Amino acid sequence: MITSNAAQVAALEIENPVVVAINAGGEALTQDGIDFLSDQFFTEGFTFGDIEGGNGLQPAFSNTVYQTERYGNFSYAIPVASTSQAYTVELRFGELWWSNPGERVFDVSLEGQTILDDLDILAQTGSFNTPYTYVSGPITAGANGTLDLQFLNGIDNAQISGIIVRQVMTVDVQEPGLLGDLDGDGRADLVLQNQDALGAWFMNAEDVLSGSNLPALGQGWAAVGIGDTSGDGRSDLLLQNGQTLATWLMNGDKVEGGGDIATLGEGWSVVGMADVDADGRADVLLQNDRAVAVWQLDGSKLVGGGDIATLVEGWQIAGTGDLNGDGRADLLLQNGQTLAAWQLDGSQITSGGVIETLGAGWDVAGMGDFDGNGRSDILLQNGQQLAIWQVNGTQFEGGGDVAVMADGWSVSGLADLNGDSKTDILLQNGQTLGTWTMNGTQIVSGATVNEQLASGWDLA
């Protein structure tokens, strides 16, 4: 029996949008689909271009940021919108002067920390016709509101050709795969993806009853959520392209309607889908830094919503589920080892509080109603060990160990796969899927899914 566990948010990284890109030493240009500004935000240094000599004209660098550079001892102070938002900094280097390793060696620091110590571009690339790229880990700006880069001479001059700052975007998820009842038979189906191609397996426990291709996604679009947005008893797909959201209204493998919902404001991202107002339709939960909001939907129409609240620093969303059995989804929150809940009615928080303090080694793997009592439980994981916490609102009511997954297996989704109104566990090991049919903390049955994922296909 587990009496305490540690919970951490699972986060799915999505494409990080470019905040600013700078062509060091040069004019504005477009490269790799990125619009680079002319050189700015710098202090000191000198500029040099490939056509001015050096190691000779390098046609491979033509019409790219690599054909110019800023060199010497210099710095950049790049303004960003938030000091709490995480960013990555990509540095692009092209050697325009020297031909051999060891002829240029220098240091680069970011926010006062050395990120490149004794960088030798030619030692990294082996050729002065090959550029070198470095991408930092997530970092936040200091109180001055800028990301500060310092380039320091070592052997010969420091230099840089291009800088790209991207906002780190994550979607907090309660399970990896998109599982939902596409055909309205009371059993969850699996949405599959192979690049731009989508497919579906229609399930009964571990049996794939049938499989079908879905319409292909248009360029730039991705399936980011699943839920019944129209209230017809069938799950629909939430799609995203940049900041634009749309729905496909599903009937089995057929798209019977849908369209664009609206465009998210700058900095906002999808957290998940859940029915927060008990109208039988899934809504879209959104987050911007610590601000949380909801869009209430009717199919592809935005019919309501608003700001929910601002998370206190240190707290983040760990999952969504109906913790108190009122038919409305609530938010599971986490701060270090503490779990808490916001109970919702639309965009209003009706109550909330701390659930339990959790011990080390355990993660939140998802949420689902494993015992069929109408309230969501919390699935926990520690290595290959799974356990369940049963909750009523903010009250911890019990739980226990489930089982130990064999090596190589992981949780890939949570949904009612056999139509008994209890959440089951979908497992994955490479291209092989398996199911644990659940009743509370007990595994009623377990089996390998009778079809394997084809090469290139995975859960969406």
Side-chain angles (χ1 to χ4, degrees):
M1 177 70 178
I2 293 177
T3 57
S4 63
N5 299 288
Q8 296 176 355
V9 176
L12 175 64
E13 189 172 352
I14 62 176
E15 184 178 1
N16 294 328
V18 173
V19 175
V20 64
I22 300 165
N23 181 19
E27 299 300 319
L29 59 78
T30 300
Q31 179 187 340
D32 302 328
I34 299 170
D35 294 325
F36 287 81
L37 303 177
S38 60
D39 200 4
Q40 53 195 278
F41 307 129
F42 59 84
T43 300
E44 300 184 342
F46 308 90
T47 61
F48 180 77
D50 188 33
I51 61 173
E52 298 175 47
N55 53 18
L57 190 64
Q58 293 158 269
F61 290 169
S62 296
N63 302 314
T64 72
V65 296
Y66 303 113
Q67 67 185 357
T68 61
E69 66 178 36
R70 178 163 294 278
Y71 71 93
N73 284 317
F74 59 94
S75 62
Y76 282 82
I78 304 172
V80 291
S82 171
T83 57
S84 58
Q85 169 66 52
Y87 302 88
T88 61
V89 178
E90 178 179 323
L91 304 178
R92 297 188 175 190
F93 302 93
E95 181 55 70
L96 299 179
W97 187 265
W98 298 109
S99 302
N100 299 300
E103 294 179 318
R104 185 198 302 275
V105 180
F106 59 96
D107 297 339
V108 182
S109 66
L110 174 60
E111 288 297 304
Q113 301 295 317
T114 299
I115 56 173
L116 291 171
D117 187 18
D118 291 338
L119 173 62
D120 185 338
I121 299 169
L122 293 176
Q124 295 291 329
T125 66
S127 169
F128 58 74
N129 288 312
T130 302
Y132 174 67
T133 298
Y134 169 85
V135 181
S136 77
I139 192 166
T140 57
N144 61 358
T146 62
L147 292 171
D148 297 324
L149 285 159
Q150 186 78 33
F151 295 78
L152 299 174
N153 293 342
I155 300 173
D156 202 60
N157 294 302
Q159 65 102 271
I160 186 67
S161 292
I163 303 170
I164 303 172
V165 176
R166 289 185 170 90
Q167 181 179 346
V168 175
M169 302 289 289
T170 59
V171 177
D172 294 313
V173 296
Q174 63 185 61
E175 64 260 7
L178 295 183
L179 282 68
D181 185 4
L182 297 172
D183 55 4
D185 66 353
R187 299 186 295 257
D189 309 303
L190 312 185
V191 179
L192 311 177
Q193 186 163 2
N194 185 347
Q195 297 182 359
D196 291 337
L198 290 180
W201 278 355
F202 298 94
M203 306 295 295
N204 183 10
E206 71 273 12
D207 294 327
V208 180
L209 302 179
S210 64
S212 300
N213 291 323
L214 304 182
L217 292 167
Q219 185 174 4
W221 287 92
V224 297
I226 190 166
D228 181 6
T229 64
S230 61
D232 64 357
R234 297 188 291 260
S235 295
D236 308 306
L237 291 179
L238 180 68
L239 309 177
Q240 184 169 0
N241 186 344
Q243 292 299 93
T244 301
L245 296 183
T247 58
W248 277 356
L249 304 183
M250 304 300 298
N251 184 1
D253 58 1
K254 302 292 191 298
V255 178
E256 295 198 333
D260 290 352
I261 299 170
T263 300
L264 294 168
E266 184 176 355
W268 287 92
S269 59
V270 175
V271 175
M273 297 187 72
D275 182 5
V276 298
D277 54 5
D279 66 353
R281 300 190 295 260
D283 309 303
V284 182
L285 289 158
L286 306 169
Q287 187 167 355
N288 185 348
D289 194 5
R290 295 198 300 271
V292 181
V294 63
W295 279 359
Q296 292 164 301
L297 300 181
D298 183 357
S300 60
K301 295 179 181 178
L302 180 60
V303 296
D307 294 340
I308 295 175
T310 299
L311 292 165
V312 175
E313 187 171 359
W315 287 91
Q316 45 195 331
I317 297 172
T320 61
D322 183 5
L323 293 168
N324 61 353
D326 66 353
R328 301 177 181 88
D330 309 305
L331 293 182
L332 180 68
L333 308 176
Q334 180 238 345
N335 184 352
Q337 293 178 293
T338 303
L339 285 185
W342 282 348
Q343 293 169 358
L344 300 179
D345 184 358
S347 60
Q348 303 300 309
I349 300 173
T350 59
S351 63
V354 172
I355 297 172
E356 187 62 79
T357 300
L358 311 169
W362 290 84
D363 299 331
V364 172
M367 297 181 70
D369 183 6
F370 297 100
D371 54 8
N373 69 352
R375 298 191 301 263
S376 293
D377 312 305
I378 304 170
L379 181 68
L380 303 168
Q381 183 171 353
N382 185 348
Q384 294 299 96
Q385 173 74 57
L386 296 182
I388 287 172
W389 272 10
Q390 293 161 332
V391 177
N392 185 358
T394 59
Q395 301 300 310
F396 172 73
E397 292 200 333
D401 293 342
V402 175
V404 177
M405 295 181 291
D407 288 344
W409 288 88
S410 60
V411 177
S412 279
L414 303 176
D416 179 8
L417 293 166
N418 63 350
D420 66 353
S421 299
K422 300 181 181 77
T423 300
D424 306 307
I425 300 175
L426 180 70
L427 305 170
Q428 186 169 2
N429 185 349
Q431 298 302 100
T432 301
L433 301 178
T435 62
W436 282 350
T437 301
M438 302 300 297
N439 183 10
T441 61
Q442 303 302 309
I443 300 173
V444 176
S445 64
T448 301
V449 172
N450 65 344
E451 297 282 353
Q452 280 207 327
L453 294 167
S455 177
W457 286 88
D458 205 344
L459 296 172

